[in-house]
Amino acid sequence: MKETIDLGRYPIHRRQTEAHTRLVETSRAQLREEGFVSLPNFVNRDVVDRVTAAIVQLERDGIGFYSRDSHNVFLEEHKVSNQSSSNDLHPRFIEMKSSKLILN
């Protein structure tokens, strides 16, 4: 784990320490306030670089397939509003397109 995660900055392995408690408390507060937790450089840069290189090589080797989809923010099939134009702004009626390479 120490080769992958910056344990000096994020002491997830030292559960009974003040540093761990602070990390958990600040993470929970950010999640409540912003809806997500950001942990910059949680994964060590060299690990990110190695994994990225491996993924790029898999793509070059033709491993996997592409998926393209049209959906709304709730990942439901895109629906067209049949109500007033003000309802068209609801996220359920806004079309999003996604495409991704799925490695298998």
Side-chain angles (χ1 to χ4, degrees):
M1 181 166 50
K2 68 182 178 179
E3 296 82 22
T4 304
I5 298 169
D6 183 350
L7 294 176
R9 190 170 184 181
Y10 302 106
I12 61 172
H13 63 303
R14 298 189 337 231
R15 296 186 65 135
Q16 304 303 318
T17 65
E18 186 177 321
H20 181 276
T21 301
R22 261 193 323 273
L23 174 63
V24 170
E25 288 173 356
T26 58
S27 296
R28 286 179 176 164
Q30 185 181 21
L31 183 60
R32 273 191 311 276
E33 293 167 16
E34 300 181 38
F36 69 94
V37 176
S38 176
L39 301 172
N41 300 310
F42 179 77
V43 177
N44 289 322
R45 172 57 54 196
D46 62 318
V47 173
V48 172
D49 292 343
R50 283 196 316 259
V51 170
T52 301
I55 291 168
V56 168
Q57 188 59 52
L58 288 171
E59 184 177 12
R60 285 185 190 135
D61 292 345
I63 306 297
F65 61 93
Y66 280 95
S67 171
R68 291 175 182 80
D69 199 11
S70 175
H71 52 82
N72 63 22
V73 71
F74 304 109
L75 300 178
E76 301 168 336
E77 184 177 325
H78 178 245
K79 299 174 181 175
V80 177
S81 171
N82 57 5
Q83 299 178 9
S84 70
S85 61
S86 64
N87 200 29
D88 291 341
L89 298 176
H90 188 283
R92 185 169 309 282
F93 302 113
I94 298 174
E95 180 180 22
M96 303 183 79
K97 295 184 183 218
S98 64
S99 71
K100 56 199 112 2
L101 172 64
I102 300 171
L103 301 172
N104 52 4

